[in-house]
């Protein structure tokens, strides 16, 4: 039984993550009065890319070639180390919240290096912007995870999601504050509005798309897949640490099914929220972004101050 | 056997071995190659012996106190005391000296026929001896002599490449600042002597109760400034980014990796051992200093495009991180929570060791790049990964380790530092809690900014296309350089993967200090990983390393061989929008960091200057050429050092009035001074 649950936990993020992207695209299309592609389109795109030939720049080094594998591997490991639908799974070795933050930083590091590797102006600027954003988002990210870890003194993400602290009145306010802070970081780290435009191919504004501009074929598929995984990882963290409802507490088939359906509902709510944000507001000017990220950090610092 | 290795005579043998290296290379100075090899081989033997000696001394765990003869002076006694803490620093010094000596054998070759190789070997070994004496002396005066040997020897190493006027200037600044620092240290020792009646550390420790509290506070401030100047805390750091780049690269590695840690050693020795118990505000002050140094250090690093200056600023950042551990340790020790204090202490020592490894690795690989391209300017690099693949790989490992990416060693010591700050946030109340929150926030941002800085450093040095002719002629470095870099790179990985055994080893050192003697266990470390007993904080180096390799292996097999085996890979040109893509279109290191600099413009004060040459100077419509100078103002310089300099200059002008050059007047001064002294003496 436990083995089956672990297998579901391991493959959940990579199998479901393209669906999230598809759902967001569908909702956005509806907002624009379009029919939109099927929500399964991202799977078809990945399949198509995996079967294409590749073009690699002659300036690229081995960093460019190994980066997609490293980034993808990191998202798989992190995806298996966060609570998704069950909080009783005890993963002691890779679920420390600081570990998750720094493991994700490995992905960012190689993504930015791969962007610089081909020597294109777009890639370089994409890397510079990405590193600026992620450096400033780091404070908010660590502090928001710290806020939920403080009440019980737990650093393990499964333990945090199992303790259900948000239902205690004294912790409700700080955790909601830090949830807002976390949501801002989520938008920044997953390259969403108002930080980045995931649909753009306009060179002047893009961040994430600029870094992967030179990729094609299988490596592009891996990059796209990894960024979908990263999106689902952040959604999973947001929904299960700050709003830990419906997670399976024991290895019971009914509870597991409930956990999965709760997760799917929460994922849908997150996708809806992001699609609404993307459809209703403009991307911010680059130098306004630090202000929002600083708000995230300050909200979290205040939240920590509230926790006694 | 082990008792024999850890005996005093074995330590003396270590010093003699290095002195033979020093004097031998001076005697052989006529023959460049022999002098260099002599110096290198004695460096290697000495540091290997140092490693064996220090490990056995820690394993045995008892103090080695001994005195070398009578000095003939009243206050000076050549007394040593090697306890586990000293042995740990001897270990760090010897470990880094081993790789720097190996590196030196190949690296120094480009100085042949240009400078005196014998002198380099002499000062190199003298520098090592000085550092070893500093961490083992147990008499204040003897310590100061050792401190001066270390400082002066390193000064001569900084100005070694003396044809460059910049280096001579940097050396002077270093000499000045280090002596300002020494002045503060001397004052601290004199105060200690006044109240305890001795310069001997053991006697001072026994009589520490005689020192009034406010004098203790003054001693703390003096020691903090004095040792902080050597460690490079902000705002006493200005010599560091000037002096470290000027020295030959293997010496820079030693200076940045080890020498600045002697300041940390003395802080630990004085604050955590000799002056115990300490008031709570000391810990908070150290935390604030650490938080400021870490954040500002990394911001200045981002503004640099000189590769060695960039690394030097990162030393300031890492000293800040070390001080965060030390500050929380002091704070907890003053609140009588020894197990938490031990956590902070272990974080301090482990980061000291880790920073020594990856910083010297980075300096050595930077030296390898500079040796091949003859410039320190990162704007003139680019694409070096194709010309120097080994150096690039080692620099990448160093970058990942210093950016605290698991499974390299930097992550585990930063994790411990974070944990000790988190414990402070959990336990303390307003206002101390907020100092811990700001310290943790500073550490979080520092981590992110350091990552950005090393993407910049690695990317603009090794990736994309060459931006100058020099790069295209660059060749991979020789075997001894690769061996030294590879050795430390392996250590950076091993200290991370086996962080558990390392941490329990360091914990044992802490338990030898009096204040941690009966600390209940909080930190649990085993081969599998490191964790805290009071919660679920747990990280595992080997597990992540193994899982990462397995998952990556599966991903590669899956993508490469299972899906579509007959995929073709074509080599093409980078997308160029239809123009000719030149190296000028790549992002440079200045461009990369510009947005972060503009975000922090309140602190960094970026400036931009245009110098435009017009075709027709009257109409001013058509530009012939334009020079744009981007700059960053050093706040410390403009708000602290410039006003200070002005003040001293004004004072000197005033003092000129009594120095008229008239000998009669001078004789009068001497006479007056004599009379006053006589009256005072009576």
């Amino acid at each position: 039984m436990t083995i089956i649950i672990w297998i579901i936990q391991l493959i959940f993020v990579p199998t479901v993550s393209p669906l999230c992207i598809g759902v967001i695209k569908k909702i956005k299309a509806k907002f624009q009065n379009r029919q939109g592609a099927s929500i399964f389109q991202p799977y078809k795109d990945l399949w198509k890319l995996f079967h294409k030939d590749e073009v690699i720049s002659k300036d690229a080094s081995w960093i460019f070639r190994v980066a997609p594998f490293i980034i993808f591997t990191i998202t798989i490991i992190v995806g298996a180390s966060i609570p998704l639908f069950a909080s009783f799974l005890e993963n002691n070795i890779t679920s420390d919240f600081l570990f998750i933050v720094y493991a994700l930083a490995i992905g960012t590091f190689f993504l930015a290096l791969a962007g610089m590797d081909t020597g294109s102006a777009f890639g370089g600027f994409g890397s510079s912007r990405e590193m600026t954003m992620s450096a400033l988002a780091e404070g908010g990210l660590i502090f928001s995870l710290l806020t939920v870890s403080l009440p019980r003194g737990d650093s393990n993400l499964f333990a945090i999601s199992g303790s259900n602290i948000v239902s205690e009145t004294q912790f409700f306010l700080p955790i909601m504050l830090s949830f807002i802070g976390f949501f801002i970081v989520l938008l920044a780290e997953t390259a969403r509005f108002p930080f980045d435009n995931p649909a753009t191919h306009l060179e002047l504004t893009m961040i994430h798309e600029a870094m992967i501009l030179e990729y094609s074929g299988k490596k592009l598929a891996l990059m796209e897949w990894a960024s979908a995984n990263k999106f689902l990882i952040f959604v999973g963290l947001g929904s299960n640490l700050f709003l830990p409802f419906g997670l399976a507490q024991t290895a019971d088939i009914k509870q597991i099914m409930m956990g999965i359906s709760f997760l799917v509902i929460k994922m849908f709510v997150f996708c809806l929220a992001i699609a609404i944000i993307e459809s209703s507001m403009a991307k911010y000017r680059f130098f306004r972004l630090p202000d929002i990220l600083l708000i995230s950090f300050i909200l979290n610092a205040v939240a920590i101050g509230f926790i006694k | 056997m082990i008792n024999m290795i850890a005996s005093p005579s074995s330590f003396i043998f270590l010093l003699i071995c290095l002195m033979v290296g020093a004097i031998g290379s001076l005697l052989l100075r006529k023959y460049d190659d022999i002098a260099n090899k002599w110096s290198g081989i004695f460096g290697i033997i000495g540091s290997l012996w140092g490693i064996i000696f220090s490990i056995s001394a820690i394993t045995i765990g008892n103090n080695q106190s001994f005195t070398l003869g009578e000095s003939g002076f009243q206050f000076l006694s050549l007394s040593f005391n090697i306890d586990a803490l000293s042995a740990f620093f001897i270990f760090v010094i010897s470990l880094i000296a081993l790789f720097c000596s190996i590196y030196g054998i190949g690296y120094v070759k480009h100085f042949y026929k240009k400078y005196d190789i014998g002198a380099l070997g002499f000062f190199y070994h003298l520098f090592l001896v000085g550092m070893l004496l500093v961490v083992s002396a147990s008499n204040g005066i003897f310590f100061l002599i050792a401190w001066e040997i270390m400082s002066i020897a390193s000064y001569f190493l900084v100005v070694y490449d003396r044809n460059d006027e910049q280096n001579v200037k940097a050396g002077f600044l270093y000499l000045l600042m280090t002596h300002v620092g020494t002045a503060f240290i001397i004052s601290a020792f004199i105060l200690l002597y006044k109240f305890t009646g001795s310069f001997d550390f053991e006697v001072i420790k026994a009589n520490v109760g005689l020192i009034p509290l406010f004098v203790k506070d003054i001693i703390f401030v003096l020691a903090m400034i004095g040792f902080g100047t050597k460690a490079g805390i902000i705002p006493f750091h200005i010599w560091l980014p000037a002096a470290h780049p000027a020295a030959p690269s293997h010496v820079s590695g030693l200076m940045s990796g080890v020498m600045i840690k002697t300041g940390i050693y003395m802080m630990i020795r004085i604050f955590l051992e000799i002056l115990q118990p300490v008031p709570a505000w000391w810990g908070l002050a150290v935390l604030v200093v650490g938080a400021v140094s870490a954040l500002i250090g990394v911001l200045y690093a981002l503004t640099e495009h000189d590769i060695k200056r960039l690394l030097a600023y990162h030393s300031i950042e890492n000293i800040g991180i070390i001080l965060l551990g030390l500050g929380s340790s002091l704070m907890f020790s003053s609140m009588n929570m020894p197990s938490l204090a031990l956590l902070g202490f272990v974080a301090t020592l482990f980061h000291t060791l880790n920073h020594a490894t990856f910083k010297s690795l980075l300096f050595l690989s930077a030296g390898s790049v500079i040796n091949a391209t003859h410039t320190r300017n990162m704007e003139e690099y680019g694409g070096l990964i194709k010309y120097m693949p080994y150096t690039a790989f080692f620099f990448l490992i160093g970058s990942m380790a210093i950016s605290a990416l698991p499974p390299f060693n930097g992550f585990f010591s930063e994790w411990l530092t974070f944990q000790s700050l988190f414990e402070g946030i959990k336990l303390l109340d307003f206002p101390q809690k907020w100092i811990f929150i700001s310290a943790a926030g500073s550490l979080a941002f520092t981590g992110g900014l350091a990552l950005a800085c090393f993407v910049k450093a690695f990317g603009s040095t090794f990736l994309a296309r060459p931006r100058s002719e020099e790069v295209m002629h660059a060749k991979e470095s020789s075997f001894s350089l690769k061996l030294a870099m590879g050795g430390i790179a392996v250590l950076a990985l091993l200290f991370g993967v086996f962080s558990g055994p390392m941490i329990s080893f360091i914990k044992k050192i802490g338990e030898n200090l009096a204040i941690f003697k009966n600390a209940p266990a909080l930190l649990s470390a085993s081969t599998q990983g490191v964790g805290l007993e009071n919660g679920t904080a747990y990280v595992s180096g080997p597990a992540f390393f193994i899982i990462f390799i397995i998952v990556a292996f599966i991903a590669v097999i899956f993508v490469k061989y299972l899906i579509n085996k007959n995929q073709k890979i074509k080599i093409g040109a980078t997308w160029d929008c239809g123009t000719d893509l030149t190296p000028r279109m790549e992002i440079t290191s200045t461009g990369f960091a510009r947005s972060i600099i503009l975000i922090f413009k309140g602190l960094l004060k970026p400036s931009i200057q245009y110098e435009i040459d017009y075709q027709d100077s009257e109409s001013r419509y058509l530009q012939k050429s334009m020079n744009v100078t981007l700059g960053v103002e050093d706040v410390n310089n403009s708000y602290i050092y410039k006003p200070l300099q002005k003040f001293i200059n004004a004072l000197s002008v005033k003092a000129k009035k009594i120095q008229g050059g008239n000998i009669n007047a001078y004789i009068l001064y001497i006479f007056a001074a004599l009379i006053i002294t006589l009256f005072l003496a009576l």
Side-chain angles (χ1 to χ4, degrees):
Chain A
M1 185 67 191
T2 334
I3 295 173
I4 300 171
I5 298 169
W6 262 111
I7 290 174
I8 301 176
Q9 166 86 12
L10 282 172
I11 60 167
F12 189 87
V13 167
T15 43
V16 179
S17 65
L19 185 69
C20 282
I21 306 295
V23 170
I24 293 182
K25 282 192 176 151
K26 187 80 177 174
I27 300 172
K28 276 173 79 175
K30 291 284 175 206
F31 268 103
Q32 294 159 358
N33 279 331
R34 288 191 288 121
Q35 188 59 41
S38 145
I39 53 170
F40 298 105
Q41 187 60 39
Y43 292 98
K44 295 174 192 158
D45 288 343
L46 285 181
W47 186 255
K48 179 188 74 186
L49 286 172
F50 269 122
H51 287 84
K52 282 200 160 193
D53 289 347
E54 266 179 61
V55 185
I56 292 182
S57 161
K58 61 178 188 297
D59 299 319
S61 67
W62 59 268
I63 299 271
F64 185 83
R65 291 161 195 261
V66 303
F69 292 100
I70 294 178
I71 297 166
F72 184 72
T73 306
I74 288 293
T75 60
I76 297 288
I77 295 175
V78 174
S81 315
I82 61 165
L84 290 168
F85 52 86
S87 61
F88 63 87
L89 293 174
E90 277 186 12
N91 173 357
N92 282 334
I93 45 179
T94 52
S95 289
D96 189 80
F97 77 82
L98 277 176
F99 178 82
I100 296 295
V101 172
Y102 280 92
L104 285 173
I106 299 178
T108 315
F109 184 72
F110 277 96
L111 182 63
L113 287 185
M116 292 177 88
D117 200 8
T118 54
S120 111
F122 304 135
F125 270 96
S127 303
S128 162
R129 289 170 187 161
E130 165 81 9
M131 291 321 293
T132 310
M133 286 299 103
S134 77
L136 295 173
E138 185 116 340
L141 180 57
I142 291 181
F143 265 35
S144 58
L145 298 179
L146 175 63
T147 316
V148 286
S149 100
L150 278 179
R152 290 279 178 279
D154 282 325
S155 298
N156 190 293
L157 294 173
F158 285 96
I160 295 172
S161 72
S163 64
N164 201 4
I165 30 175
V166 73
S167 56
E168 291 170 44
T169 9
Q170 50 170 337
F171 298 130
F172 182 75
L173 177 66
I175 287 182
M176 282 305 113
L177 278 179
S178 87
F179 177 66
I180 301 171
F182 179 82
F183 194 73
I184 293 172
V185 173
L186 182 151
L187 296 175
E189 287 276 344
T190 56
R192 294 278 153 189
F193 270 66
F195 293 89
D196 192 6
N197 186 347
T200 187
H201 281 282
L202 184 67
E203 298 87 350
L204 292 177
T205 57
M206 56 194 187
I207 300 179
H208 183 263
E209 292 297 316
M211 286 186 287
I212 61 173
L213 193 66
E214 288 294 324
Y215 277 106
S216 55
K218 287 178 176 177
K219 298 203 171 72
L220 179 61
L222 279 178
M223 284 293 205
E224 297 280 11
W225 200 353
S227 77
N229 287 346
K230 194 175 175 189
F231 178 76
L232 186 55
I233 287 167
F234 271 86
V235 169
L237 285 176
S239 57
N240 289 337
L241 298 182
F242 297 90
L243 315 161
F245 311 121
L247 274 92
Q249 307 280 350
T250 52
D252 173 42
I253 197 97
K254 232 163 75 188
Q255 287 212 24
I256 302 279
M257 294 313 290
M258 239 201 12
I260 293 178
S261 35
F262 258 97
L263 178 63
V264 171
I265 294 168
K266 281 189 266 190
M267 268 160 47
F268 181 75
V269 173
F270 269 87
C271 291
L272 187 68
I274 286 167
I276 291 173
I277 289 173
E278 298 210 331
S279 307
S280 58
M281 70 188 289
K283 193 179 159 307
Y284 274 22
R285 211 158 60 81
F286 185 73
F287 284 104
R288 287 280 309 281
L289 299 179
D291 302 348
I292 324 178
L293 289 171
L294 221 57
I295 288 174
S296 150
F297 176 71
I298 290 167
L299 280 176
N300 281 307
V302 171
I304 292 171
F306 272 131
I307 291 181
K308 267 272 160 335
Chain B
M1 178 64 192
I2 196 164
N3 278 314
M4 218 174 75
I5 294 172
S7 64
S9 47
S10 144
F11 183 70
I12 303 299
F13 173 74
L14 170 62
L15 295 180
I16 289 172
C17 182
L18 293 174
M19 283 316 289
V20 169
I23 292 165
S25 50
L26 203 59
L27 293 177
L28 292 166
R29 54 196 291 223
K30 288 259 160 34
Y31 318 98
D32 283 352
D33 199 46
I34 300 174
N36 181 29
K37 294 229 164 85
W38 179 277
S39 149
I41 286 166
F42 274 88
I44 292 168
I45 296 173
S47 38
L48 274 177
W49 187 250
I51 293 171
I52 297 169
F53 166 77
S54 51
I55 290 179
S56 351
I58 295 171
T59 321
I60 292 176
N62 53 357
N63 286 7
Q64 315 267 345
S65 294
F66 55 97
T67 309
L68 281 189
E70 285 299 311
S71 67
F73 296 97
Q74 189 186 353
F75 298 118
L76 173 67
S77 72
L78 301 175
S79 55
F80 297 85
N81 182 17
I82 301 174
D83 59 358
L85 182 65
S86 301
F88 175 77
F89 277 87
I90 293 173
F91 174 69
V92 177
I93 293 167
S94 316
L95 189 69
I96 303 308
L98 172 65
F99 293 105
C100 289
S101 305
I102 297 173
Y103 185 91
I105 294 178
Y107 180 78
V108 173
K109 283 198 177 120
H110 77 276
F111 288 129
Y112 285 5
K113 304 261 162 12
K114 213 163 134 198
Y115 297 118
D116 190 340
I117 304 298
L120 179 63
F122 177 73
F123 286 117
Y124 178 80
H125 283 91
L126 202 63
F127 180 43
L128 290 179
V129 168
M131 287 195 289
L132 289 175
L133 291 181
V134 161
V135 296
S136 57
S138 82
N139 172 286
I141 303 288
F142 180 40
F143 166 81
L144 283 170
I145 292 171
W147 188 261
E148 279 303 290
I149 292 175
M150 177 179 86
S151 302
I152 302 288
S154 54
Y155 163 74
F156 282 109
L157 292 170
V158 167
V159 297
Y160 185 69
D161 191 359
R162 61 181 181 275
N163 287 351
D164 186 348
E165 203 182 320
Q166 284 294 324
N167 292 349
V168 179
K169 258 191 181 162
F172 181 70
L173 181 64
Y174 171 48
L175 200 64
L176 192 75
M177 285 305 290
T178 191
H179 282 107
V180 170
T182 311
F184 280 96
I185 299 170
I186 293 174
S187 329
F189 276 131
I190 288 175
L191 276 181
L192 283 174
Y193 171 75
K194 183 166 163 27
F195 288 93
T196 60
S198 173
F199 281 109
D200 194 82
F201 290 169
E202 292 299 315
V203 182
I204 295 175
K205 196 166 82 180
N207 295 332
V208 76
L210 300 174
I211 307 173
L213 197 59
F214 79 97
V215 178
K216 247 177 145 178
D217 288 348
I218 295 171
I219 292 172
F220 166 72
V221 174
L222 291 174
M224 196 64 203
I225 295 175
F227 296 118
T229 310
K230 187 57 95 185
I233 60 170
I234 283 176
F236 307 105
H237 68 285
I238 51 159
W239 62 274
L240 204 152
H244 287 204
S249 287
H250 61 307
V251 179
S252 316
L254 269 179
M255 286 175 76
S256 243
V258 189
M259 183 188 78
I260 57 174
K261 308 293 166 44
T262 56
I264 299 291
Y265 163 78
M266 279 312 283
M267 286 184 197
I268 296 175
R269 181 65 80 199
I270 293 187
F271 304 153
L272 273 177
E273 195 191 350
I274 294 177
L275 290 183
Q276 283 288 336
V278 299
W281 75 269
W282 291 16
L284 296 180
V286 173
L287 271 183
V288 171
V289 168
V292 170
S293 298
L295 198 56
I296 296 186
V298 72
L299 281 176
Y300 279 120
L302 272 163
T303 67
E304 277 303 331
H305 54 86
D306 174 328
I307 188 164
K308 280 175 103 179
R309 278 179 69 94
L310 181 143
L311 294 176
Y313 272 119
H314 273 287
S315 297
I316 298 172
E317 175 223 326
N318 277 285
I319 284 292
I321 296 175
I322 292 171
L323 287 182
L324 288 180
L326 182 61
S328 51
S329 181
L330 273 176
M331 178 73 200
F332 291 131
S333 76
S334 74
M335 294 175 62
N336 214 359
M337 296 191 230
S339 43
L340 284 175
L342 182 60
L343 173 66
F345 176 78
V346 172
T348 309
L349 281 200
F350 195 33
H351 201 69
T352 301
L353 172 64
N354 290 342
H355 177 244
T357 54
F358 53 67
K359 184 48 65 67
S360 50
L361 170 60
L362 285 166
F363 263 114
L364 296 189
S365 28
S368 161
V369 168
I370 295 162
N371 213 354
T373 57
H374 311 292
T375 172
R376 298 203 313 239
N377 189 352
M378 282 161 53
E379 312 294 19
E380 293 175 29
Y381 296 157
L384 273 166
I385 195 168
K386 295 183 198 83
Y387 303 89
M388 311 178 78
Y390 288 98
T391 305
F393 184 66
F394 298 138
F395 195 92
L396 182 70
I397 289 180
S399 308
M400 288 180 74
I402 198 174
S403 315
L405 299 181
F408 294 101
N409 56 0
F411 170 73
F412 294 94
S413 45
E414 270 198 47
W415 184 84
L416 282 177
T417 312
F418 263 123
Q419 295 307 326
S420 61
L421 294 175
F422 290 168
E423 292 298 322
I425 295 175
K426 260 183 230 168
L427 290 172
L428 300 171
D429 278 325
F430 181 83
Q432 290 99 323
K433 181 179 186 174
W434 282 94
I435 291 183
F436 273 81
I437 292 178
S438 336
S442 148
L443 186 54
F445 278 115
T446 304
L449 290 167
L451 191 71
C453 193
F454 275 93
V455 168
K456 161 187 142 162
F458 185 82
S460 62
T461 306
F462 293 103
L463 301 181
R465 287 176 301 279
R467 287 190 292 271
S468 70
E469 275 294 302
E470 297 276 9
V471 171
M472 301 204 226
H473 305 304
K475 290 219 171 52
E476 184 56 87
S477 300
S478 63
F479 176 71
S480 85
L481 277 72
K482 278 189 284 191
L483 179 68
M485 291 186 284
I488 312 187
V490 169
L491 278 187
L493 180 64
L494 287 184
F495 285 172
V497 173
F498 297 106
S499 49
M502 288 308 293
I503 286 170
S504 53
F505 185 67
I506 291 170
K507 212 171 98 183
K508 220 188 277 166
I509 297 165
E511 279 156 2
N512 277 328
L513 283 182
I515 52 165
F516 304 128
K517 268 269 152 62
N518 298 316
L522 172 69
L523 189 65
S524 70
S526 65
T527 322
Q528 283 89 33
V530 194
L532 298 191
E533 301 277 355
N534 65 347
T536 47
Y538 188 84
V539 281
S540 168
F544 174 69
F545 187 60
I546 293 166
I547 293 173
F548 183 85
I549 287 179
I550 293 173
V551 178
F553 184 70
I554 293 171
V556 170
I557 297 287
F558 181 70
V559 172
K560 281 237 147 134
Y561 301 105
L562 293 185
I563 314 176
N564 184 17
K565 266 187 282 192
N566 3 317
Q567 181 211 29
K568 285 190 219 72
I569 293 183
K570 227 168 64 183
I571 304 294
T574 303
W575 166 239
D576 54 7
C577 297
T579 58
D580 270 342
L581 206 59
T582 67
R584 285 178 56 107
M585 294 174 191
E586 291 163 17
I587 192 151
T588 58
S589 68
T590 310
F592 191 91
R594 192 68 186 168
S595 44
I596 296 184
I597 293 173
L598 287 178
I599 288 166
F600 289 94
K601 63 176 173 239
L603 184 75
L604 296 171
K605 312 226 181 251
S607 60
I608 184 162
Q609 274 181 343
Y610 299 98
E611 258 176 60
I612 305 173
D613 219 9
Y614 294 99
Q615 298 282 6
D616 179 1
S617 58
E618 274 161 29
S619 70
R620 297 194 154 223
Y621 278 116
L622 301 173
Q623 296 177 0
K624 203 187 321 177
S625 67
M626 180 156 98
N627 260 334
V628 182
T629 314
L630 298 173
V632 171
E633 191 187 340
D634 192 337
V635 185
N636 299 293
N637 234 344
S638 45
Y639 290 99
I640 300 176
Y641 289 98
K642 286 245 175 78
L644 195 70
Q645 191 190 4
K646 235 186 206 166
F647 173 73
I648 291 175
N649 273 345
L651 214 63
S652 324
V653 171
K654 292 246 163 68
K656 237 157 113 183
K657 283 185 190 151
I658 56 168
Q659 287 185 321
N662 186 348
I663 293 199
N664 297 347
Y666 288 166
I667 293 172
L668 181 67
Y669 298 153
I670 295 170
F671 185 65
L674 198 67
I675 298 283
I676 292 168
T677 326
L678 271 176
F679 269 106
L680 285 180
L682 289 173

